[in-house]
Amino acid sequence: MTDSRTTLHLAHLDALERAYATLLDTHGYDGVLLYSGHPHRHFGDDQEASFATYGHFLHWIAQPGLSHSWLLIRPGQPPLLRFHAPADFWHLAPQIPNAAWTQRFTIETATDAQPPSVLASRAGKRLAVLGDVTPELADRIGAELNPPALTRALDELRVRKSDYEIDCLSEANRLALAGHHAARDAFLAGGAELDIQLAYLGASRQRESEVPYQNIVGLNAHAGVLHYQHYDIEAPEHRRSLLVDAGHRVAGYAADITRTWAGPAADTQFAELISGVDALQQALIAAIRPGVGYVDLHHSMHHHLGELLRTQGLVRCSAESAVESGITRAFCPHGLGHLLGLQVHDVAGRQDPRGEPLPAPENDPALRLTRELEAGMAVTMEPGLYFIPLLLEPLRDTPAGRDIDWQAVGRLMPHGGIRIEDNVVVGSEGPINLTR
C-alpha cells in the first residue's frame, strides 16, 4: 500500500469508528460482530465454491478472501479482530500483514473459527451479529442475527465512498484497463475467446479466482448474450465483434468495465453504432450531478438510444415513438448501471437514505439503481445496443415492428451487440470518470 493510500485508509477507519458508534447508539446496540464468512462445499463433494469475504467485514479489514474471521465493534474500544490462521500443511495459512491499519485493532490469531471469547462476559449487553452465521450460533452467543434495520443502516454507510475507497476504485480501473487493451490486441491477432481471456488475466495480473465477477468475453453473436458464461477454444471463421466485460479488485474494491470492438469482418455500420453508443454514454455521464435521479438518467438513455436507432436508419419512427412502443427496450433490456464498491452490484441501490424500498420502474425491472445521486457515490454507466432474436422477433408482426428495418437488423444480428461501461464517481460539481 502506498504512503498516500495508507494515510487515506487510516482516515477511512477513523470515519468508520465514528459512524458505527452513532449507528449502534441510534439502533440501541452495545456492539456488532461481523463475520467474514466461509467457503461452501459443493453438494456431495469435498471441493469448495469460490469465496467472497462479507462486504461489511471487508469495509474495515482490507483482506479480500479472508475467511472464518470475526470483527467485534464496540464504541469507545479498539475493534477486536479474531484473525483465522489455521495450522495447516495442505494450504498456506493467511498472515496478518505488516501494515499501519493493524495498529488500530486488537488482533488475536486463532486456529479455530469460533467467535471472540470476550463475548462470554458480555452480560446485560445488546449485541448484533452480521454475516453468514447460523441461528444456532447467534443464539449461543446471545446476539441478534442480521437485524434488518441495522443492516440497512450499514448498507447505507457504504453508499458514499471515502477518499480511500475512491483511490482503490481508481487503481482497480487502471489495472483492469491494462487487461482490456491486451484483450483487444488478442482479438485483432485472431485469438479465440479463451485466448482473449488469458491475455486479459495476464495483462491485469490476476487469476480467475480473484476477478470480481466472471469475465464476459463474447465474440460475434455471443456479444448479445448479456451474461455470456463460456470461452470458446477455437476462433470463429469470421471475426465481426468482441465484447469484454471484465474487472479487477484492489483491497476488495471492484472495477467493472465493458468495451466493444469491431473486427475485420464487421459490417461497416457496426463500427458507427459503437461510436454512437460511446457518444451517448459520454453525454449521460456529463449529466451526472448530485440531486439528479438515476431513474431519469436511465430514461434519458432510452431517448438517446431511440435517436441513435433513428439516425442510423434501424427504425423509421421518431425517438419518442421508439421508446413508447417498446422498441428501445428490445434493443437494450438492462438498466443503465448500478452502485459500485466492495460488491460489483453494491448494496443499497434500491433503497432511500432511510432504508425504505425504492423499487425499479415497472417497465425497467432490471434497473439496479433507483436513487437520487449524491456526492461520493460510485456508479457504473453502461448503455447497450443488442441484436437479440429472443427480444426482437416478437416485435416483427406488431405495429412497432413495421418501424424496424429488419434487413439492417438481420445484417447486424451476427455481431451480437454493444456495451460501453465506465466507472464514475459523483463529484460535488460533476462526474469523475475513473475509467477514462
PDB file of all heavy atoms in Angstrom, residues 271-297:
ATOM      1  N   ALA A 271     -19.347  -0.485 -36.632  1.00  0.00           N
ATOM      2  CA  ALA A 271     -18.381   0.456 -36.050  1.00  0.00           C
ATOM      3  C   ALA A 271     -19.039   1.804 -35.792  1.00  0.00           C
ATOM      4  O   ALA A 271     -18.743   2.461 -34.779  1.00  0.00           O
ATOM      5  CB  ALA A 271     -17.178   0.604 -36.973  1.00  0.00           C
ATOM      6  N   GLU A 272     -19.922   2.237 -36.685  1.00  0.00           N
ATOM      7  CA  GLU A 272     -20.632   3.502 -36.470  1.00  0.00           C
ATOM      8  C   GLU A 272     -21.529   3.419 -35.242  1.00  0.00           C
ATOM      9  O   GLU A 272     -21.649   4.383 -34.471  1.00  0.00           O
ATOM     10  CB  GLU A 272     -21.458   3.849 -37.703  1.00  0.00           C
ATOM     11  CG  GLU A 272     -20.632   4.107 -38.957  1.00  0.00           C
ATOM     12  CD  GLU A 272     -21.509   4.305 -40.182  1.00  0.00           C
ATOM     13  OE1 GLU A 272     -22.747   4.395 -40.027  1.00  0.00           O
ATOM     14  OE2 GLU A 272     -20.953   4.350 -41.294  1.00  0.00           O
ATOM     15  N   LEU A 273     -22.143   2.258 -35.022  1.00  0.00           N
ATOM     16  CA  LEU A 273     -23.002   2.085 -33.852  1.00  0.00           C
ATOM     17  C   LEU A 273     -22.189   2.077 -32.559  1.00  0.00           C
ATOM     18  O   LEU A 273     -22.628   2.616 -31.534  1.00  0.00           O
ATOM     19  CB  LEU A 273     -23.806   0.789 -33.982  1.00  0.00           C
ATOM     20  CG  LEU A 273     -24.919   0.807 -35.038  1.00  0.00           C
ATOM     21  CD1 LEU A 273     -25.445  -0.603 -35.274  1.00  0.00           C
ATOM     22  CD2 LEU A 273     -26.049   1.736 -34.621  1.00  0.00           C
ATOM     23  N   ILE A 274     -20.989   1.491 -32.590  1.00  0.00           N
ATOM     24  CA  ILE A 274     -20.128   1.543 -31.407  1.00  0.00           C
ATOM     25  C   ILE A 274     -19.814   2.992 -31.063  1.00  0.00           C
ATOM     26  O   ILE A 274     -19.909   3.408 -29.895  1.00  0.00           O
ATOM     27  CB  ILE A 274     -18.822   0.757 -31.640  1.00  0.00           C
ATOM     28  CG1 ILE A 274     -19.114  -0.747 -31.764  1.00  0.00           C
ATOM     29  CG2 ILE A 274     -17.834   1.004 -30.495  1.00  0.00           C
ATOM     30  CD1 ILE A 274     -17.887  -1.581 -32.109  1.00  0.00           C
ATOM     31  N   SER A 275     -19.455   3.787 -32.076  1.00  0.00           N
ATOM     32  CA  SER A 275     -19.179   5.205 -31.834  1.00  0.00           C
ATOM     33  C   SER A 275     -20.403   5.923 -31.298  1.00  0.00           C
ATOM     34  O   SER A 275     -20.310   6.793 -30.412  1.00  0.00           O
ATOM     35  CB  SER A 275     -18.699   5.872 -33.128  1.00  0.00           C
ATOM     36  OG  SER A 275     -17.475   5.315 -33.562  1.00  0.00           O
ATOM     37  N   GLY A 276     -21.585   5.547 -31.805  1.00  0.00           N
ATOM     38  CA  GLY A 276     -22.821   6.168 -31.338  1.00  0.00           C
ATOM     39  C   GLY A 276     -23.129   5.838 -29.893  1.00  0.00           C
ATOM     40  O   GLY A 276     -23.545   6.718 -29.114  1.00  0.00           O
ATOM     41  N   VAL A 277     -22.934   4.571 -29.496  1.00  0.00           N
ATOM     42  CA  VAL A 277     -23.171   4.184 -28.098  1.00  0.00           C
ATOM     43  C   VAL A 277     -22.163   4.871 -27.192  1.00  0.00           C
ATOM     44  O   VAL A 277     -22.504   5.339 -26.091  1.00  0.00           O
ATOM     45  CB  VAL A 277     -23.118   2.650 -27.942  1.00  0.00           C
ATOM     46  CG1 VAL A 277     -23.183   2.248 -26.469  1.00  0.00           C
ATOM     47  CG2 VAL A 277     -24.255   1.991 -28.710  1.00  0.00           C
ATOM     48  N   ASP A 278     -20.909   4.957 -27.642  1.00  0.00           N
ATOM     49  CA  ASP A 278     -19.895   5.648 -26.845  1.00  0.00           C
ATOM     50  C   ASP A 278     -20.277   7.115 -26.644  1.00  0.00           C
ATOM     51  O   ASP A 278     -20.147   7.651 -25.536  1.00  0.00           O
ATOM     52  CB  ASP A 278     -18.541   5.543 -27.545  1.00  0.00           C
ATOM     53  CG  ASP A 278     -17.410   6.115 -26.699  1.00  0.00           C
ATOM     54  OD1 ASP A 278     -17.014   5.448 -25.738  1.00  0.00           O
ATOM     55  OD2 ASP A 278     -16.949   7.223 -27.008  1.00  0.00           O
ATOM     56  N   ALA A 279     -20.746   7.771 -27.690  1.00  0.00           N
ATOM     57  CA  ALA A 279     -21.113   9.191 -27.580  1.00  0.00           C
ATOM     58  C   ALA A 279     -22.302   9.389 -26.656  1.00  0.00           C
ATOM     59  O   ALA A 279     -22.322  10.322 -25.840  1.00  0.00           O
ATOM     60  CB  ALA A 279     -21.421   9.747 -28.981  1.00  0.00           C
ATOM     61  N   LEU A 280     -23.304   8.512 -26.758  1.00  0.00           N
ATOM     62  CA  LEU A 280     -24.465   8.693 -25.880  1.00  0.00           C
ATOM     63  C   LEU A 280     -24.095   8.390 -24.432  1.00  0.00           C
ATOM     64  O   LEU A 280     -24.612   9.022 -23.501  1.00  0.00           O
ATOM     65  CB  LEU A 280     -25.655   7.865 -26.366  1.00  0.00           C
ATOM     66  CG  LEU A 280     -25.745   6.363 -26.125  1.00  0.00           C
ATOM     67  CD1 LEU A 280     -26.339   6.040 -24.759  1.00  0.00           C
ATOM     68  CD2 LEU A 280     -26.633   5.728 -27.205  1.00  0.00           C
ATOM     69  N   GLN A 281     -23.157   7.448 -24.230  1.00  0.00           N
ATOM     70  CA  GLN A 281     -22.715   7.177 -22.866  1.00  0.00           C
ATOM     71  C   GLN A 281     -22.020   8.393 -22.274  1.00  0.00           C
ATOM     72  O   GLN A 281     -22.256   8.766 -21.126  1.00  0.00           O
ATOM     73  CB  GLN A 281     -21.774   5.965 -22.853  1.00  0.00           C
ATOM     74  CG  GLN A 281     -21.395   5.509 -21.452  1.00  0.00           C
ATOM     75  CD  GLN A 281     -19.889   5.406 -21.251  1.00  0.00           C
ATOM     76  OE1 GLN A 281     -19.117   6.126 -21.881  1.00  0.00           O
ATOM     77  NE2 GLN A 281     -19.478   4.522 -20.356  1.00  0.00           N
ATOM     78  N   GLN A 282     -21.175   9.041 -23.061  1.00  0.00           N
ATOM     79  CA  GLN A 282     -20.469  10.217 -22.559  1.00  0.00           C
ATOM     80  C   GLN A 282     -21.429  11.378 -22.283  1.00  0.00           C
ATOM     81  O   GLN A 282     -21.228  12.147 -21.342  1.00  0.00           O
ATOM     82  CB  GLN A 282     -19.393  10.635 -23.557  1.00  0.00           C
ATOM     83  CG  GLN A 282     -18.226   9.655 -23.629  1.00  0.00           C
ATOM     84  CD  GLN A 282     -17.493   9.525 -22.298  1.00  0.00           C
ATOM     85  OE1 GLN A 282     -16.841  10.469 -21.848  1.00  0.00           O
ATOM     86  NE2 GLN A 282     -17.607   8.367 -21.661  1.00  0.00           N
ATOM     87  N   ALA A 283     -22.479  11.495 -23.089  1.00  0.00           N
ATOM     88  CA  ALA A 283     -23.486  12.532 -22.832  1.00  0.00           C
ATOM     89  C   ALA A 283     -24.218  12.262 -21.519  1.00  0.00           C
ATOM     90  O   ALA A 283     -24.502  13.193 -20.744  1.00  0.00           O
ATOM     91  CB  ALA A 283     -24.471  12.597 -23.999  1.00  0.00           C
ATOM     92  N   LEU A 284     -24.510  11.013 -21.243  1.00  0.00           N
ATOM     93  CA  LEU A 284     -25.175  10.658 -19.990  1.00  0.00           C
ATOM     94  C   LEU A 284     -24.260  10.906 -18.796  1.00  0.00           C
ATOM     95  O   LEU A 284     -24.693  11.412 -17.753  1.00  0.00           O
ATOM     96  CB  LEU A 284     -25.613   9.189 -20.025  1.00  0.00           C
ATOM     97  CG  LEU A 284     -26.745   8.847 -20.998  1.00  0.00           C
ATOM     98  CD1 LEU A 284     -26.855   7.339 -21.170  1.00  0.00           C
ATOM     99  CD2 LEU A 284     -28.062   9.429 -20.529  1.00  0.00           C
ATOM    100  N   ILE A 285     -22.978  10.570 -18.927  1.00  0.00           N
ATOM    101  CA  ILE A 285     -22.037  10.803 -17.839  1.00  0.00           C
ATOM    102  C   ILE A 285     -21.913  12.293 -17.553  1.00  0.00           C
ATOM    103  O   ILE A 285     -21.846  12.721 -16.389  1.00  0.00           O
ATOM    104  CB  ILE A 285     -20.668  10.178 -18.177  1.00  0.00           C
ATOM    105  CG1 ILE A 285     -20.773   8.649 -18.131  1.00  0.00           C
ATOM    106  CG2 ILE A 285     -19.583  10.673 -17.214  1.00  0.00           C
ATOM    107  CD1 ILE A 285     -19.521   7.924 -18.582  1.00  0.00           C
ATOM    108  N   ALA A 286     -21.906  13.107 -18.594  1.00  0.00           N
ATOM    109  CA  ALA A 286     -21.779  14.555 -18.411  1.00  0.00           C
ATOM    110  C   ALA A 286     -22.941  15.130 -17.612  1.00  0.00           C
ATOM    111  O   ALA A 286     -22.809  16.202 -17.007  1.00  0.00           O
ATOM    112  CB  ALA A 286     -21.688  15.238 -19.776  1.00  0.00           C
ATOM    113  N   ALA A 287     -24.077  14.438 -17.601  1.00  0.00           N
ATOM    114  CA  ALA A 287     -25.259  14.929 -16.884  1.00  0.00           C
ATOM    115  C   ALA A 287     -25.253  14.547 -15.410  1.00  0.00           C
ATOM    116  O   ALA A 287     -26.155  14.943 -14.662  1.00  0.00           O
ATOM    117  CB  ALA A 287     -26.521  14.381 -17.547  1.00  0.00           C
ATOM    118  N   ILE A 288     -24.249  13.782 -14.970  1.00  0.00           N
ATOM    119  CA  ILE A 288     -24.203  13.338 -13.575  1.00  0.00           C
ATOM    120  C   ILE A 288     -23.911  14.519 -12.652  1.00  0.00           C
ATOM    121  O   ILE A 288     -22.934  15.249 -12.835  1.00  0.00           O
ATOM    122  CB  ILE A 288     -23.143  12.238 -13.397  1.00  0.00           C
ATOM    123  CG1 ILE A 288     -23.639  10.926 -14.018  1.00  0.00           C
ATOM    124  CG2 ILE A 288     -22.786  12.032 -11.931  1.00  0.00           C
ATOM    125  CD1 ILE A 288     -22.644   9.791 -13.920  1.00  0.00           C
ATOM    126  N   ARG A 289     -24.772  14.689 -11.655  1.00  0.00           N
ATOM    127  CA  ARG A 289     -24.630  15.715 -10.633  1.00  0.00           C
ATOM    128  C   ARG A 289     -25.329  15.231  -9.365  1.00  0.00           C
ATOM    129  O   ARG A 289     -26.280  14.449  -9.449  1.00  0.00           O
ATOM    130  CB  ARG A 289     -25.289  17.040 -11.050  1.00  0.00           C
ATOM    131  CG  ARG A 289     -24.689  17.768 -12.235  1.00  0.00           C
ATOM    132  CD  ARG A 289     -23.381  18.453 -11.860  1.00  0.00           C
ATOM    133  NE  ARG A 289     -22.896  19.298 -12.937  1.00  0.00           N
ATOM    134  CZ  ARG A 289     -22.303  18.862 -14.053  1.00  0.00           C
ATOM    135  NH1 ARG A 289     -22.160  17.564 -14.247  1.00  0.00           N
ATOM    136  NH2 ARG A 289     -21.863  19.712 -14.967  1.00  0.00           N
ATOM    137  N   PRO A 290     -24.915  15.697  -8.203  1.00  0.00           N
ATOM    138  CA  PRO A 290     -25.721  15.428  -7.011  1.00  0.00           C
ATOM    139  C   PRO A 290     -27.133  15.978  -7.204  1.00  0.00           C
ATOM    140  O   PRO A 290     -27.326  17.081  -7.729  1.00  0.00           O
ATOM    141  CB  PRO A 290     -24.978  16.195  -5.904  1.00  0.00           C
ATOM    142  CG  PRO A 290     -23.572  16.304  -6.389  1.00  0.00           C
ATOM    143  CD  PRO A 290     -23.679  16.452  -7.878  1.00  0.00           C
ATOM    144  N   GLY A 291     -28.123  15.187  -6.805  1.00  0.00           N
ATOM    145  CA  GLY A 291     -29.517  15.598  -6.950  1.00  0.00           C
ATOM    146  C   GLY A 291     -30.191  15.092  -8.203  1.00  0.00           C
ATOM    147  O   GLY A 291     -31.419  15.165  -8.322  1.00  0.00           O
ATOM    148  N   VAL A 292     -29.422  14.562  -9.166  1.00  0.00           N
ATOM    149  CA  VAL A 292     -30.005  14.000 -10.386  1.00  0.00           C
ATOM    150  C   VAL A 292     -30.540  12.605 -10.075  1.00  0.00           C
ATOM    151  O   VAL A 292     -29.867  11.794  -9.435  1.00  0.00           O
ATOM    152  CB  VAL A 292     -28.957  13.946 -11.517  1.00  0.00           C
ATOM    153  CG1 VAL A 292     -29.482  13.159 -12.715  1.00  0.00           C
ATOM    154  CG2 VAL A 292     -28.552  15.346 -11.934  1.00  0.00           C
ATOM    155  N   GLY A 293     -31.740  12.304 -10.526  1.00  0.00           N
ATOM    156  CA  GLY A 293     -32.310  10.977 -10.325  1.00  0.00           C
ATOM    157  C   GLY A 293     -31.707   9.983 -11.303  1.00  0.00           C
ATOM    158  O   GLY A 293     -31.691  10.238 -12.508  1.00  0.00           O
ATOM    159  N   TYR A 294     -31.232   8.850 -10.788  1.00  0.00           N
ATOM    160  CA  TYR A 294     -30.647   7.849 -11.691  1.00  0.00           C
ATOM    161  C   TYR A 294     -31.705   7.251 -12.603  1.00  0.00           C
ATOM    162  O   TYR A 294     -31.415   6.911 -13.751  1.00  0.00           O
ATOM    163  CB  TYR A 294     -29.933   6.761 -10.888  1.00  0.00           C
ATOM    164  CG  TYR A 294     -28.961   5.960 -11.726  1.00  0.00           C
ATOM    165  CD1 TYR A 294     -27.671   6.421 -11.958  1.00  0.00           C
ATOM    166  CD2 TYR A 294     -29.335   4.749 -12.293  1.00  0.00           C
ATOM    167  CE1 TYR A 294     -26.782   5.699 -12.736  1.00  0.00           C
ATOM    168  CE2 TYR A 294     -28.454   4.019 -13.076  1.00  0.00           C
ATOM    169  CZ  TYR A 294     -27.177   4.499 -13.294  1.00  0.00           C
ATOM    170  OH  TYR A 294     -26.297   3.779 -14.081  1.00  0.00           O
ATOM    171  N   VAL A 295     -32.922   7.136 -12.124  1.00  0.00           N
ATOM    172  CA  VAL A 295     -34.003   6.643 -12.990  1.00  0.00           C
ATOM    173  C   VAL A 295     -34.195   7.593 -14.168  1.00  0.00           C
ATOM    174  O   VAL A 295     -34.433   7.158 -15.297  1.00  0.00           O
ATOM    175  CB  VAL A 295     -35.310   6.482 -12.190  1.00  0.00           C
ATOM    176  CG1 VAL A 295     -36.473   6.127 -13.109  1.00  0.00           C
ATOM    177  CG2 VAL A 295     -35.156   5.397 -11.120  1.00  0.00           C
ATOM    178  N   ASP A 296     -34.068   8.911 -13.923  1.00  0.00           N
ATOM    179  CA  ASP A 296     -34.178   9.882 -15.015  1.00  0.00           C
ATOM    180  C   ASP A 296     -33.061   9.684 -16.032  1.00  0.00           C
ATOM    181  O   ASP A 296     -33.280   9.795 -17.247  1.00  0.00           O
ATOM    182  CB  ASP A 296     -34.135  11.306 -14.463  1.00  0.00           C
ATOM    183  CG  ASP A 296     -35.339  11.632 -13.589  1.00  0.00           C
ATOM    184  OD1 ASP A 296     -36.404  11.026 -13.810  1.00  0.00           O
ATOM    185  OD2 ASP A 296     -35.208  12.481 -12.684  1.00  0.00           O
ATOM    186  N   LEU A 297     -31.845   9.397 -15.555  1.00  0.00           N
ATOM    187  CA  LEU A 297     -30.748   9.121 -16.475  1.00  0.00           C
ATOM    188  C   LEU A 297     -31.023   7.869 -17.294  1.00  0.00           C
ATOM    189  O   LEU A 297     -30.718   7.810 -18.492  1.00  0.00           O
ATOM    190  CB  LEU A 297     -29.435   8.956 -15.707  1.00  0.00           C
ATOM    191  CG  LEU A 297     -28.821  10.218 -15.106  1.00  0.00           C
ATOM    192  CD1 LEU A 297     -27.577   9.851 -14.286  1.00  0.00           C
ATOM    193  CD2 LEU A 297     -28.457  11.222 -16.192  1.00  0.00           C
TER     194      LEU A 297
END
